[in-house]
Amino acid sequence: MDSLSAKEMSCPICCEIFKAPVLLSCSHSFCKECIQQFWRSKNTKECPLCRRRSSRDDPPCNLVLRNLCESFLKGRNERSSSSGSEEVCSLHSEKLKLFCLEDKQPVCLVCRDSQKHVKHTFRPISEVVSSYKEELRFLQEKLNHREKIKGECVKTIQHIKSQAEHTERQIKLEFEKLHQFLRDEEEIAIAALREEKERKNQKMKEKLEEMNRHISALSHTIQDMEEMMNASEVLFLKNFPVTMERVQSSQPDPHMASGALIHVARYLGNLPFRVWKKAQGIVQNTPVILDPNTAHPDLLLSDDLTSLRCSSDSQTLPDNPERFDEHSCVLGSEGFDSGTHCWDVEVKESSSWALGVTAASNQRKGCDFFDTGVWSVQYRLFEESGFPVEQKLERVRVRLDYDRGTVSFSDPVSNTHLYTFTTSFTETVFPFFYSFSHLRILQVNCS
């Protein structure tokens, strides 16, 4: 049966092994569906090979050819199973050597010449496999990248939880300080009120005792005079003027002194405002607050986000786009796009540092941060990081005048100017801090 080969058992129209072959009156055979489709397209019932007109609209099935094709296909399938079905064409039992780019499937040489693949483009299987291997490597890289991003997402979720818990604790601590201040102020106000109440109560008690003494003495005098009048009118007339003079000189008419009542307005008048004014004396403000989401993993920030120190052990933090990954830098939490801003930084405990402002768009990943978009002064760092300061300083004052395009640096201790950059800002700028040890942004009193 192999001597017949797949070509001799293939339909002349579709060039594939016969499916439900039918026999025309001219003795030529075709797939039933193929000849019907051919007749419909030609609008005539002639043989595609010899052009002889068929005498029947429904030609009979070619049973012998059908059995031969079924046996051939069965044997081919058995051979394919033993040799690997992916290597042999399921239709023609030929080796799969080509790949059809339109149908995206491997084909044999017979398939290439069949009607099904007319005008199709073919490539050797090895060439397509090599190309697909490149695509597979690309997919593997995408998979690896997505696995990495997934890991960062998991780490970020954990960090968000940690951030929220820590921030909530700090909020409670700060509000507890405010609550304690208010409780102390409440106690002071109530203590003052009670002290005034006791003092004025005591005065009124003393006044009351004095009045009782005066009333008692006057009552006795009246009683004595009445008894004298009843006993002897002459004696009464002789003694009455003297007695009245004595009474009037020793007991002047009493009166209520002013200021006897509680000074209510002193306690309730503008009470919230007065407490707020007093709070300003103890509450401090920091002109610049550090943004922990930008801090390099080597930097440890204080709970109030006003100071930093460099650690030898890197923290495990999400590699979010805002974070520095090469330089030990951190940015201020607020950017500036107008106005004048000033902040003092304590640098006396830092062996090397850099301070200034940077453009919002400046690259924070890699080593190129200081290449452009940075206006800074530095102490004992690489030259390209900014204007070098030679002397050891305790503090540095940074003054940004965005509208005029200047960034000035000075020593507030000695009131000495260090350096001024002049430029034209075109975008938001952020304060930045670079250190290998310790820096602290100084606070100012709100009042």
Side-chain angles (χ1 to χ4, degrees):
M1 190 174 295
D2 288 346
S3 60
L4 293 175
S5 87
K7 187 174 183 180
E8 295 178 277
M9 284 187 286
S10 298
C11 171
I13 296 177
C14 66
C15 297
E16 296 182 2
I17 302 299
F18 283 108
K19 295 178 182 177
V22 294
L23 181 65
L24 301 186
S25 56
C26 62
S27 300
H28 290 133
S29 294
F30 303 92
C31 294
K32 182 176 181 180
E33 179 59 31
C34 291
I35 190 63
Q36 293 293 345
Q37 185 176 357
F38 178 81
W39 285 348
R40 285 194 295 271
S41 64
K42 296 294 185 179
N43 200 23
T44 179
K45 293 181 174 54
E46 61 182 21
C47 173
L49 297 179
C50 64
R51 303 302 179 183
R52 182 177 173 180
R53 186 175 180 80
S54 174
S55 59
R56 300 181 60 174
D57 294 339
D58 187 17
C61 176
N62 191 336
L63 295 176
V64 175
L65 183 57
R66 187 187 69 180
N67 292 337
L68 285 174
C69 290
E70 290 178 352
S71 298
F72 178 81
L73 290 173
K74 182 179 179 182
R76 182 197 60 195
N77 291 337
E78 290 175 352
R79 291 193 299 273
S80 298
S81 298
S82 61
S83 61
S85 59
E86 71 281 1
E87 301 293 339
V88 179
C89 175
S90 61
L91 298 177
H92 308 114
S93 297
E94 300 289 338
K95 286 188 177 182
L96 300 172
K97 296 183 178 181
L98 302 174
F99 187 83
C100 178
L101 299 183
E102 279 74 16
D103 292 337
K104 304 296 182 185
Q105 62 181 14
V107 297
C108 68
L109 295 176
V110 178
C111 292
R112 180 193 61 184
D113 298 330
S114 68
Q115 174 114 13
K116 181 179 179 181
H117 295 281
V118 171
K119 294 184 180 180
H120 287 190
T121 304
F122 302 89
R123 292 288 183 272
I125 284 182
S126 59
E127 182 179 317
V128 178
V129 168
S130 176
S131 172
Y132 279 10
K133 282 181 179 179
E134 288 297 324
E135 293 187 26
L136 186 61
R137 277 194 291 271
F138 173 71
L139 290 178
Q140 185 63 48
E141 291 175 0
K142 289 185 68 173
L143 175 63
N144 294 340
H145 178 69
R146 292 181 182 183
E147 289 288 350
K148 180 180 178 182
I149 297 299
K150 176 186 174 182
E152 289 297 327
C153 289
V154 172
K155 188 189 298 184
T156 300
I157 290 174
Q158 295 171 346
H159 190 65
I160 289 172
K161 180 182 177 183
S162 174
Q163 274 188 315
E165 291 173 350
H166 175 76
T167 304
E168 183 175 337
R169 287 194 298 271
Q170 292 305 120
I171 290 173
K172 289 181 178 179
L173 285 174
E174 292 301 320
F175 271 97
E176 178 56 32
K177 293 177 184 178
L178 295 175
H179 294 159
Q180 187 60 50
F181 169 78
L182 292 176
R183 286 193 292 266
D184 292 344
E185 288 301 305
E186 178 186 4
E187 290 179 5
I188 291 172
I190 292 176
L193 172 63
R194 289 173 177 172
E195 188 276 332
E196 184 178 358
K197 171 191 170 185
E198 292 299 324
R199 178 164 42 82
K200 292 189 173 181
N201 268 343
Q202 184 62 30
K203 285 186 177 181
M204 291 310 299
K205 286 179 181 179
E206 293 173 357
K207 186 73 173 177
L208 185 60
E209 290 175 358
E210 180 185 4
M211 292 304 301
N212 286 333
R213 289 194 300 270
H214 289 177
I215 291 171
S216 176
L218 188 57
S219 295
H220 284 101
T221 299
I222 294 172
Q223 185 179 357
D224 291 343
M225 294 300 291
E226 286 178 345
E227 291 177 354
M228 186 182 299
M229 183 179 62
N230 293 331
S232 172
E233 292 181 348
V234 173
L235 183 61
F236 169 74
L237 291 174
K238 288 182 179 181
N239 291 319
F240 183 78
V242 177
T243 301
M244 286 297 294
E245 184 179 355
R246 184 179 72 249
V247 170
Q248 290 177 354
S249 62
S250 62
Q251 296 182 359
D253 289 337
H255 63 276
M256 289 294 295
S258 62
L261 300 179
I262 295 293
H263 198 333
V264 177
R266 177 185 299 164
Y267 302 101
L268 298 183
N270 290 323
L271 177 59
F273 176 77
R274 288 186 289 108
V275 173
W276 172 70
K277 289 287 288 184
K278 188 173 181 180
Q280 284 185 307
I282 63 169
V283 175
Q284 293 184 314
N285 174 54
T286 305
V288 172
I289 299 298
L290 303 177
D291 182 359
N293 294 336
T294 65
H296 186 276
D298 288 349
L299 295 181
L300 301 177
L301 307 188
S302 61
D303 287 336
D304 62 359
L305 304 177
T306 63
S307 66
L308 63 90
R309 63 183 177 86
C310 196
S311 172
S312 57
D313 298 325
S314 291
Q315 306 168 84
T316 302
L317 299 173
D319 186 24
N320 48 301
E322 301 90 347
R323 191 178 307 282
F324 288 91
D325 64 353
E326 288 290 338
H327 296 296
S328 298
C329 289
V330 61
L331 298 185
S333 61
E334 180 183 1
F336 305 120
D337 56 11
S338 64
T340 301
H341 310 273
C342 182
W343 58 96
D344 288 0
V345 185
E346 187 177 76
V347 297
K348 63 181 181 181
E349 297 183 26
S350 181
S351 58
S352 55
W353 48 264
L355 304 170
V357 298
T358 181
S361 62
N362 202 359
Q363 179 59 250
R364 303 173 196 178
K365 304 296 184 183
C367 300
D368 302 330
F369 173 69
F370 287 102
D371 289 354
T372 58
V374 173
W375 300 268
S376 67
V377 295
Q378 59 94 355
Y379 178 71
R380 292 185 176 178
L381 286 180
F382 33 86
E383 294 181 358
E384 63 269 23
S385 66
F387 179 79
V389 174
E390 302 297 334
Q391 66 272 33
K392 178 72 173 177
L393 300 174
E394 291 187 11
R395 300 179 183 179
V396 174
R397 176 166 295 164
V398 184
R399 183 178 180 83
L400 166 68
D401 189 332
Y402 188 97
D403 301 321
R404 292 187 177 182
T406 61
V407 186
S408 301
F409 302 88
S410 60
D411 176 6
V413 176
S414 63
N415 197 26
T416 304
H417 175 258
L418 299 175
Y419 192 76
T420 296
F421 290 94
T422 301
T423 184
S424 295
F425 297 115
T426 58
E427 60 177 301
T428 301
V429 295
F430 284 84
F432 92 91
F433 308 83
Y434 186 117
S435 177
F436 287 123
S437 45
H438 182 269
L439 292 177
R440 183 167 68 95
I441 306 168
L442 300 180
Q443 298 177 332
V444 294
N445 288 331
C446 292
S447 58

